[in-house]
Amino acid sequence: MSQATAHDIWERMALVPRVLEARGLDATPVLQDKIRQRKDFDAVAILDVILHDEIGHVSIGNHWYHALSTKRGLDAMQCFGELLRKYRIVIFKGVINTDARLQAGFTQYELDWIYEIEQTLKSYIKAEK
């Protein structure tokens, strides 16, 4: 994704922190639960630090994506949906850490809206195959 968006910082801010890094927000609690079952509480604590840092990374990406959208006179939500379609990206794969995503600057409205966009995108991708 970094290579695919190398031509445009706005696309990179839309997709790297808000998609790829945000997936870490979703995956970390699931991983922590598995590690907790093995009683490796030190590793769980380390993942807490990583999750906290990742919330910060996604938050910074959210800030710059919205700032660049405003500077370009673009509707950030509409354009994000267009970028998801352009790159055929599905964000919500399994468990979603809504609390962490909200802490990172997503709004509940935006998360609900993305979910709706993705239902259409999933149908489109299936129809192409």
Side-chain angles (χ1 to χ4, degrees):
M1 188 55 62
S2 291
Q3 289 179 338
T5 60
H7 66 284
D8 189 344
I9 189 67
W10 172 76
E11 284 192 11
R12 178 163 298 174
M13 290 299 100
L15 301 176
V16 173
R18 292 171 45 86
V19 174
L20 300 180
E21 290 183 291
R23 284 187 180 147
L25 302 179
D26 302 330
T28 300
V30 175
L31 183 57
Q32 284 178 303
D33 288 343
K34 290 179 182 180
I35 293 171
R36 195 175 287 112
Q37 290 172 8
R38 295 187 173 268
K39 310 268 190 256
D40 187 349
F41 301 111
D42 290 338
V44 172
I46 290 167
L47 287 171
D48 278 335
V49 173
I50 293 169
L51 178 61
H52 175 76
D53 289 350
E54 206 63 51
I55 289 170
H57 299 162
V58 176
S59 179
I60 291 166
N62 263 325
H63 167 81
W64 285 112
Y65 171 68
H66 286 282
L68 290 167
S69 295
T70 299
K71 183 176 181 178
R72 292 182 182 192
L74 301 172
D75 180 308
M77 284 183 53
Q78 178 185 355
C79 290
F80 189 64
E82 291 169 6
L83 290 170
L84 294 177
R85 286 185 204 93
K86 175 181 176 180
Y87 289 96
R88 299 169 183 257
I89 295 171
V90 176
I91 294 176
F92 299 141
K93 297 179 176 185
V95 176
I96 303 303
N97 188 344
T98 303
D99 290 340
R101 285 178 178 264
L102 292 171
Q103 288 176 50
F106 286 92
T107 65
Q108 187 62 54
Y109 177 79
E110 184 178 20
L111 294 174
D112 293 343
W113 182 83
I114 292 168
Y115 179 79
E116 289 178 26
I117 292 286
E118 288 197 340
Q119 298 314 301
T120 305
L121 181 59
K122 286 178 185 177
S123 299
Y124 175 76
I125 291 171
K126 282 183 183 178
E128 277 191 333
K129 291 181 179 181

